[in-house]
């Protein structure tokens, strides 16, 4: 095992996402062998400091201090949230448009015609196809985005994806032009428009995730990536308000369609404002442009920022000698990174990737399903399924669903808006909750309570009447609140923490693919379960999600480990040790110093 690193191949595994901050995991790639002497370890520590591959110097900064230090990164990250807003807005507009009476009249059919029970409904086949096509095509859209980004850049991918979304909106907007006698042509045009929008959204969301993962420093990666569900729900709130305002208008759904152009235009504008990813530019051999873009991410004034334990950090990208000095349990002098040093590290990581590719040892998607990685990939895939287990797809169709149960159209949209607002507040609160409690506890607790709530709704559905209608609405709001506080955000955390370092990007791709496939499947099948022209379960649909939540609790208990506050190296070691999911939380790291970490990493390399 001499001169062999964690990947067991004699070369450090490449970093898939070079970042603004220092990756603490690169410490594992700098350790050499189990025979390294104390003198060599000291030398390694000096080299890590000199080469900017030591522990993250910002580890002691508070969230607010990190925001101040990297405020330009925060500004650009907020700019990228325009893409997430577009996703949330389009999702609720396309998903809730089916609850509008004008849309039901122009695209539906009269059920129980000529009887007092006559009502406009959307055929289960078309409703299922419409629910399926957007998430279904988001999967190839995301895959295409990967190749497109690497060839033309992150900004170009964002602009093209947003433009395609505008094209899809245009097709949906004109879908009512064919004569009423050609009702299937109308439905087909709407189906086509939704499909193009789905592919575009998959492209935009994959681009947004790639861009943010490349520019965010470690101290801000978690908090800012947590904005994905928050801004998704915020976009949905805005979309639901638009739906409500247009509800009683003649052809009001066309106005709702047209409003989507605004949210398609915002990411296009941001594509011209945002700096290009330095990682992409380095891959293209444009080192000068990469340095110039990196400087745009860095604070331009040398304002002192108080860091953890009294450190004072100076950040000025124009000054190559910018430094930070302070005392933290002893005399320490830390050198602040410059744009040149960051780009140099990015280039170093990319060169390592190229060396592995030349040797034919680059990681592949098949590696995600081999050996110990099979278990880790399975956990990531299960985490992607958690939102479907607690009924997120049904909750997103709450307006139409409660109408089927018996609620009036205007009240149903109010229920949808209330549910989205409560879900938004719950997800904001979850930033504290997830930081406080273990992932397993939150997932199992949330799914258990959701199972009881869904079961109560199913029992209520045995009867009919206003009480059942309002009980159903209250249940759906309660479920999104409980799961928004724990199970939903924890699904993102588990999915991000579990994957192996050298397979992180590919494993996340498998996770997103699983999420898209599950969303498409549930979107297609659910109308056949609750719609009156098919399964006609209505509120009794709750029994379905009671069973799914119960399955989720069991799988989580036996299969999902708790990785809260664990470093990636610790997570790797615990998986290498073959610990059961229930023992992860109680496991204690026997070491802490460089020598102990070295021994742990070498032993992990032997296992692999």
């Amino acid at each position: 095992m001499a001169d062999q690193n964690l990947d067991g191949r004699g070369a450090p595994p490449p970093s898939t996402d070079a970042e603004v901050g220092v990756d603490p995991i690169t410490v594992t790639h700098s350790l050499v062998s189990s025979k390294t002497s104390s003198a060599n370890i000291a030398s390694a520590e000096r080299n890590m400091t000199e080469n900017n591959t030591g522990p993250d110097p910002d580890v002691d900064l508070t969230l607010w201090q990190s925001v101040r230090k990297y405020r330009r990164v925060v500004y650009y990250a907020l700019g990228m949230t325009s893409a997430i807003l577009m996703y949330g807005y389009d999702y609720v507009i396309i998903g809730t448009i089916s609850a509008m009476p004008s849309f039901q009249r122009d695209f539906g059919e009269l059920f129980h015609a000529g009887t007092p029970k006559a009502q406009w409904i959307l055929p289960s086949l078309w409703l299922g196809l419409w629910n399926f096509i957007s998430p279904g095509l988001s999967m190839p859209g995301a895959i295409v985005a990967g190749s497109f980004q690497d060839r033309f850049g992150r900004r170009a991918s964002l602009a093209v994806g947003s433009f395609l979304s505008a094209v899809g909106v245009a097709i949906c907007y004109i879908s009512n032009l064919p004569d009423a006698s050609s009702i299937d042509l109308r439905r087909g045009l709407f189906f086509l428009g939704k499909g193009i929008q789905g592919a575009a959204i998959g492209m935009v969301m994959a681009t947004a995730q790639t861009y943010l993962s490349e520019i965010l420093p470690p101290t801000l990666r978690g908090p800012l990536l947590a904005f994905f569900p928050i801004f998704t729900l915020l976009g949905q709130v805005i979309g639901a308000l638009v739906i409500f305002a247009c509800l009683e208008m003649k052809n009001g759904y066309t106005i709702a369609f047209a409003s989507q152009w605004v949210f398609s235009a915002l990411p296009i504008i941001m594509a011209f404002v945002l700096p290009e990813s330095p990682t992409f530019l380095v891959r293209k051999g444009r080192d000068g442009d990469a340095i110039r873009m990196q400087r745009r991410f860095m604070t331009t004034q040398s304002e002192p920022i108080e860091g953890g334990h009294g450190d004072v950090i100076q950040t000025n990208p124009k000054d190559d000698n910018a430094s930070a000095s302070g005392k933290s349990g002893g005399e320490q002098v830390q050198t602040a990174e410059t744009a040149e040093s960051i780009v140099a590290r990015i280039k170093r990581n990319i060169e390592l990737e190229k060396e592995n590719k030349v040797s034919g040892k680059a990681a592949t998607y098949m590696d995600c399903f081999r050996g110990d990685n099979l278990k880790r990939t399975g956990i990531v895939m299960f985490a992607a399924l958690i939102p479907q287990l607690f009924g997120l797809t049904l909750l997103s169709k709450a307006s139409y669903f409660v109408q089927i149960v018996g609620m009036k159209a205007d009240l149903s949209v109010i229920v949808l808006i209330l549910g989205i607002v409560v879900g938004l507040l719950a997800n904001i609160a979850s930033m504290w909750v997830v930081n406080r409690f273990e992932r397993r506890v939150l997932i199992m607790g949330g799914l258990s309570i959701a199972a009881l709530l869904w079961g109560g709704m199913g029992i209520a559905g045995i009867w009919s009447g206003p009480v059942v209608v309002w009980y159903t609405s209250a249940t759906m709001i309660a479920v999104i609140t409980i799961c928004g506080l724990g199970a939903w955000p924890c699904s993102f955390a588990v999915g991000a923490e579990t994957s192996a370092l050298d397979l992180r990007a590919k494993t996340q791709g498998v996770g997103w693919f699983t999420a898209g496939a599950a969303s498409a499947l549930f979107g297609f099948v659910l109308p056949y379960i609750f719609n009156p022209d098919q399964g006609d379960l209505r509120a009794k649909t709750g029994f379905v999600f009671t069973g799914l939540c119960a399955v989720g609790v069991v799988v989580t208990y036996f299969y999902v480990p708790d990785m809260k506050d664990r470093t990636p190296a610790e997570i790797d070691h615990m998986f290498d040790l073959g610990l059961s999911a229930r023992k992860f939380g109680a496991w204690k790291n026997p070491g802490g110093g460089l020598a102990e970490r070295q021994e742990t990493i070498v032993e992990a390399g032997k296992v692999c």
Side-chain angles (χ1 to χ4, degrees), residues 331-351:
E331 296 293 332
Q332 290 184 351
V333 178
Q334 297 176 345
T335 302
E337 285 191 302
T338 64
E340 289 79 4
S341 66
I342 293 172
V343 170
R345 189 181 70 252
I346 294 173
K347 187 173 183 179
R348 198 160 55 241
N349 291 333
I350 292 175
E351 287 172 350

Side-chain angles (χ1 to χ4, degrees), residues 547-562:
L548 291 174
C549 287
V551 171
V553 171
V554 173
V555 173
T556 302
Y557 180 77
F558 288 104
Y559 199 52
V560 178
D562 188 81

Side-chain angles (χ1 to χ4, degrees), residues 310-327:
D311 292 340
V312 178
I313 301 171
Q314 300 277 18
T315 57
N316 185 354
K318 294 181 180 179
D319 182 7
D320 290 346
N321 296 318
S323 64
S325 64
K327 297 181 180 180

Side-chain angles (χ1 to χ4, degrees), residues 102-167:
S102 58
F103 183 84
Q104 294 172 359
R105 183 187 66 247
D106 289 350
F107 289 81
E109 59 187 29
L110 194 60
F111 190 63
H112 290 312
T115 69
K117 295 183 179 180
Q119 66 176 130
W120 288 99
I121 69 167
L122 300 169
S124 296
L125 174 62
W126 282 104
L127 188 59
L129 288 172
W130 292 335
N131 290 337
F132 168 84
I133 191 61
S134 185
L137 288 188
S138 70
M139 295 184 290
I143 293 174
V144 169
S147 300
F148 191 92
Q149 289 179 77
D150 286 340
R151 183 170 183 180
F152 299 105
R154 309 337 183 198
R155 298 192 304 176
S157 181
L158 178 65
V160 170
S162 302
F163 176 77
L164 289 177
S165 177
V167 171

